[in-house]
Structure formats: C-alpha cells, structure tokens
Amino acid sequence: MSDISKILGKRIRNYRTAMGLSQEKLAELSGCHHTYIGQIERGEKNATIESIQKIASALNISLSKLFEKLDAKKENVRDIPLECYELLSEKNAKEQEQIFRIILEIDRYKNL
C-alpha cells in the first residue's frame, strides 16, 4: 500500500488508542468490521472516503484533522515539524506533556 495509506492508518490507530478504544469498539461505533479497521490501521486496505468519514465521526474528529498535512512529505526533503507532530501523535497525553516539558527546558537552557 501507499505511504499515505500507512500514515492515515497510523493516525487512526493513534486517535483510537488515545481514546482508549479497541478495534472492536471503533468498528462498532463506526459501523465497519473490526478486521477492516485493523487492515486500515496497518495500511493494508485503501479505505473508501465513506468508511474514513464513519471512522472519523466515531473518533469525534473532523476529516480535515485526520487528513491534515498527509501529503506534506516530499522525496528527499525532511519536514522536522511534521516528523515531530507524527511522533507526538503516537504518544498518550501524559507522554506528550512530558516531551513538551523537555522541549521547553531545552529551549529555555539554550537561551541562558
């Protein structure tokens, strides 16, 4: 599957786990089959826009948020802010807060 399918699947998984939902519960809320949810999360299936909309709705996020900066990756060009966003989105809220505090400390230290 394409990188976009994999990135989108990873985002769906991140939002689902952040909400404390199992694949089965997300499937129930979205009206999709739980194996389909797993295939989407692993980037094995190209989901229809209707399925993605149902999943986004079940996760209480907008389609625009789910697709935000999805196509920002270009060959041989690193987008550090995007990489940071993707890294942080994989973490739970407590881990995000800890990482953010570390970044603030590093920024404060460099300005001394």
Side-chain angles (χ1 to χ4, degrees):
M1 283 292 117
S2 71
D3 286 342
I4 289 177
S5 294
K6 290 177 183 176
I7 295 167
L8 183 61
K10 193 174 186 181
R11 285 185 184 182
I12 290 170
R13 181 183 306 118
N14 292 340
Y15 283 114
R16 176 182 60 76
T17 57
M19 292 180 65
L21 299 176
S22 66
Q23 287 181 348
E24 291 78 12
K25 186 62 178 176
L26 178 57
E28 179 185 319
L29 293 171
S30 66
C32 298
H33 196 275
H34 69 275
T35 57
Y36 185 61
I37 297 290
Q39 291 169 328
I40 292 170
E41 287 185 356
R42 291 186 300 274
E44 296 172 352
K45 285 278 186 184
N46 276 327
T48 65
I49 193 68
E50 290 85 7
S51 295
I52 296 297
Q53 192 280 324
K54 289 177 184 179
I55 292 167
S57 179
L59 293 170
N60 290 319
I61 58 172
S62 67
L63 280 174
S64 61
K65 184 162 181 80
L66 192 58
F67 284 96
E68 185 175 79
K69 297 184 183 259
L70 193 60
D71 63 348
K73 291 190 177 182
K74 295 181 172 99
E75 288 185 34
N76 301 321
V77 178
R78 284 190 77 184
D79 186 342
I80 301 299
L82 179 60
E83 289 181 41
C84 290
Y85 171 80
E86 293 292 340
L87 174 71
L88 281 175
S89 70
E90 295 174 2
K91 309 298 181 191
N92 65 39
K94 185 177 180 181
E95 292 169 326
Q96 289 175 353
E97 181 65 32
Q98 290 171 337
I99 292 168
F100 182 67
R101 286 183 183 181
I102 291 168
I103 292 169
L104 289 177
E105 282 299 312
I106 291 169
D107 187 59
R108 188 174 66 85
Y109 178 76
K110 80 167 179 67
N111 291 325
L112 291 178

